Amino acid sequence: MTSKISHKIKKRDNANDVFITPLGLAKIHIDLHDIKEGEVWLDPCKNDGSYYNQFPNNVKKDYCEILENKDFLEYDKKVDVIIQNPPYSMLDLWFKKNIELNPRSFSMLIGVGNLTARRIEWCENAGYGITKLKMLKVWKWYGMSYIVVFEKDKKSIMSIDRKVWK
Ligand SMILES: C[S@@+](CC[C@H](N)C(=O)[O-])C[C@H]1O[C@@H](n2cnc3c(N)ncnc32)[C@H](O)[C@@H]1O
């Protein structure tokens, strides 16, 4: 899938997109992934580095962060794993960019309501199944959140019934 990057990054209200992940939670998220030595792991929105700083030592690490003029939506290197707490104002573009980079796995910490059928289907159509789903609560963040892990060529643990039942 290609993503024509027409995002409005320069007009965006930054502050609304900055939610720092508690270190312990980022570690739990990271630990949901298999570590394959030498692979490239990307934190696409690093900020203080809750994720990036805790990536394992035996992988190659890379990051983006718009506050450092490293825009994930313009990133074009080959990566194996993408782990992130994404900016919530552009989740459609963010899902498409993860898919476009074609990692073996990508995962996100997102609000429960943000894991929509449409986004899951984009991932499934690109060959990604949901292999792990963890629900949790972060103080002050709206509602419950999920850590959702997508892996390429893996069967999803969930299915979507698109019939509208009456
Ligand atoms: C929800 S915060 C998460 C920060 C950090 N990863 C953490 O978990 O603590 C999202 C971050 O994405 C950054 N961001 C927003 N748009 C971006 C873009 N296009 N490319 C890279 N980073 C971006 C924001 O500046 C913010 O730091």
Side-chain angles (χ1 to χ4, degrees):
M1 185 184 296
T2 58
S3 79
K4 263 275 175 225
I5 307 307
S6 60
H7 59 101
K8 296 173 183 154
I9 202 80
K10 294 190 179 77
K11 295 177 188 158
R12 189 170 51 85
D13 179 0
N14 265 347
N16 290 337
D17 271 347
V18 177
F19 294 92
I20 300 303
T21 309
L23 279 175
L25 175 56
K27 179 74 166 72
I28 285 170
H29 184 166
I30 290 167
D31 286 347
L32 292 175
H33 296 76
D34 300 333
I35 300 166
K36 299 188 182 175
E37 193 165 342
E39 280 192 336
V40 180
W41 284 28
L42 176 70
D43 178 344
C45 47
K46 171 176 162 274
N47 202 292
D48 283 350
S50 294
Y51 285 92
Y52 181 83
N53 295 341
Q54 298 193 90
F55 280 177
N57 290 327
N58 56 353
V59 300
K60 294 176 192 136
K61 304 180 354 174
D62 201 1
Y63 77 90
C64 306
E65 173 51 62
I66 199 72
L67 300 173
E68 298 181 34
N69 284 322
K70 295 173 189 279
D71 186 348
F72 173 56
L73 299 176
E74 290 173 2
Y75 190 87
D76 62 1
K77 296 181 209 153
K78 174 77 190 106
V79 294
D80 299 295
V81 176
I82 309 174
I83 304 179
Q84 63 221 285
N85 173 1
Y88 295 167
S89 70
M90 57 180 98
L91 279 180
D92 281 354
L93 282 172
W94 213 265
F95 267 84
K96 288 178 179 173
K97 186 66 192 182
N98 273 259
I99 291 167
E100 181 191 312
L101 290 174
N102 195 32
R104 76 167 168 83
S105 173
F106 65 91
S107 66
M108 298 188 192
L109 172 60
I110 53 175
V112 162
N114 290 321
L115 187 62
T116 62
R118 194 169 62 114
R119 290 171 180 154
I120 292 170
E121 283 171 352
W122 290 343
C123 299
E124 284 178 354
N125 291 340
Y128 290 94
I130 293 177
T131 55
K132 289 172 188 158
L133 190 61
K134 192 185 230 349
M135 189 183 276
L136 57 102
K137 173 72 189 157
V138 178
W139 188 62
K140 281 193 174 175
W141 291 7
Y142 177 75
M144 301 291 289
S145 299
Y146 280 139
I147 296 170
V148 57
V149 179
F150 292 93
E151 291 185 76
K152 189 104 196 193
D153 300 327
K154 295 273 176 73
K155 190 172 161 35
S156 189
I157 56 171
M158 70 172 289
S159 59
I160 300 173
D161 182 350
R162 279 298 209 166
K163 179 181 164 82
V164 179
W165 290 90
K166 291 184 179 154

